[in-house]
Amino acid sequence: MTERSEGVRLPLPGGVGGRPPQAARTTTLPRHRTTAVPCPGRTARASRRVLADLRGRPSWLVAATVACVGVPPGGDGGDGTGVQVTAGDVASAVLVGAAVLLVATRRVAVPRRACWAFAPAAVAFGVTTVASTDIASSMSGFVRDVQIFVLVPLAVVLLARDRRDLGIVFGSVLGLGLGEALYGIWQSLSGTGASIGGENVRAVGTFGAADVMAMSIVVGFAFLVLTAFALVAPRYGAAAVPVALAGLGVLALALLLALSRGSWIALGAAVALMLLVFDRWLAVKAAVCCAALGLVVFGLLGGGEVVQRSASIASSVNDPDQSVSDRYNLWAAAGRIWTDHPVTGVGVKNFPAYRDAYAGIELSSGSETDDPVNGYRRQPLLSPHEEYLLVLSEQGVLGFAGFAALPAAILWGLWTRRDLRDPFWLTGTAFMTFLLVNFLYADMGGPTCVLTGVLLGAAARRAFGLGRGTAPDRPGGAGG
């Protein structure tokens, strides 16, 4: 019996017309075709594979932590003098707990480079807290510093092991940024944002006027992620480039409507560096396009808030507004505090107690915020709004040395493992640039601290080296 694709051919018994049996005719019987029916077992196996991937990819916990950053804080947010625990803080505690469990069960090991990067900060924070002029008030600041600069980034280093994990982390940052951007644009267009110039047109996202800078920070981080992947978008096909540009357009519009001058400066420096290291000619073309687009925006908006805030950047030296003037006075006060307490400072969280004794009479009593949700309130000036001076005044040279060890280790690792065509390397380098520039005129605070800790960990993971995961976004090159 023989078998072919169109049916089964069977020999007839005996011969026909005296022909021998071996030469007998054959006839074709129709084959019964079966209809494909979905197999429940196959669906169950696919579901089990997805669940196994989730269990095998603890980086999804990092993504969940990033998503929790955008959860609006409960209550009225207080006056900023107490400790406010957000959903992101709770999620980060779970994240750190998962990392500790994996280390305890020896499923992961702490990289030696991570110890050299994070240990100096932890030791310095502990010593300066013990030497504080008010240890009780410094304890909450010590916990926050260790959370953001040690525990959360170290947990990300342990849970994000390869390129796919980093893709999950950066993808969650991009998703959060796009969500906040769309909501902020709606706030500005509908007049439900924070108040500025007597109008509720400032985009603040889910964070409200109490954390008026938070949305611009989140959207700025997302802009860096999308810019890095837009540079390599042609690898994914013709449709990837316009999709990436559309996303960048949404993020850019939200950043304009956030009216955050500091975020504009830091983001401009970070994106410029990213474009320069990727392709200098592309950087020149992008600068020309941005300049032309800026002229169009200025022409369309006329004397709008965006134009006024942009113009105030240039006049901040000769003719500063009240916000910039207060910042200059706070910087001077922090410098004087550090001069009198050079080694260990006055202790974390103790700057407000020394502020009035060292600041001039020109310093106002606080900043004003207003939005339809929280209403009008006056926020006290609790920091010099300059991270380097804040660390020097509260923790002295010793605390500053431990604080500086972490970005120095990350930058050194990024330099030694540089790959100018790797979007993860570009994102890590641009993020560190954004952070270090932003620290020149701002400090860390509010719900975005957890997100900053996560991205510090992601940059550190790329700097310390990655596992042998798949690299679908690069056809070749070093894997990190």
Side-chain angles (χ1 to χ4, degrees), residues 29 55 66 130 132 162 202 281 319 353 384 434 444 457 474:
L29 300 179
R55 289 194 300 268
V66 171
V130 172
S132 171
D162 54 31
R202 189 171 188 179
W281 178 237
D319 186 22
F434 182 102
M444 290 182 59
R474 291 193 303 158

Side-chain angles (χ1 to χ4, degrees), residues 34 40 74 125 183 221 287 289 441:
T34 58
F125 295 157
Y183 185 46
F221 291 163
C289 292
Y441 44 78

Side-chain angles (χ1 to χ4, degrees), residues 195-196 202 212-213 259-262 308-309 312-313 315-317 319-332 362-369 378-379 381 383-386 441-442:
S195 176
I196 185 169
R202 189 171 188 179
V212 72
M213 298 287 296
L259 302 176
S260 174
R261 297 168 293 189
Q308 294 179 17
R309 296 287 283 185
S312 67
I313 296 176
S315 63
S316 60
V317 177
D319 186 22
D321 56 25
Q322 185 62 47
S323 174
V324 177
S325 178
D326 285 344
R327 191 161 302 188
Y328 290 161
N329 281 285
L330 290 170
W331 292 356
E362 301 87 359
L363 181 65
S364 63
S365 59
S367 60
E368 299 175 340
T369 62
R378 194 167 184 81
Q379 299 281 358
L381 302 174
S383 74
H385 294 286
E386 211 270 18
Y441 44 78

Side-chain angles (χ1 to χ4, degrees), residues 277-313:
V277 299
F278 186 83
D279 186 334
R280 295 179 181 178
W281 178 237
L282 177 62
V284 172
K285 291 189 290 186
V288 173
C289 292
C290 289
L293 183 60
L295 292 176
V296 172
V297 171
F298 275 55
L300 292 176
L301 296 180
E305 290 293 342
V306 174
V307 176
Q308 294 179 17
R309 296 287 283 185
S310 301
S312 67
I313 296 176

Side-chain angles (χ1 to χ4, degrees), residues 340-360:
D340 288 348
H341 305 81
V343 181
T344 57
V346 296
V348 185
K349 288 283 189 179
N350 286 338
F351 175 82
Y354 288 80
R355 176 197 61 212
D356 294 339
Y358 285 88

Side-chain angles (χ1 to χ4, degrees), residues 76-78 207-213 369 371 374 377 379:
D76 59 0
F207 304 101
D211 293 294
V212 72
M213 298 287 296
T369 62
D371 66 11
N374 300 309
R377 65 178 59 189
Q379 299 281 358

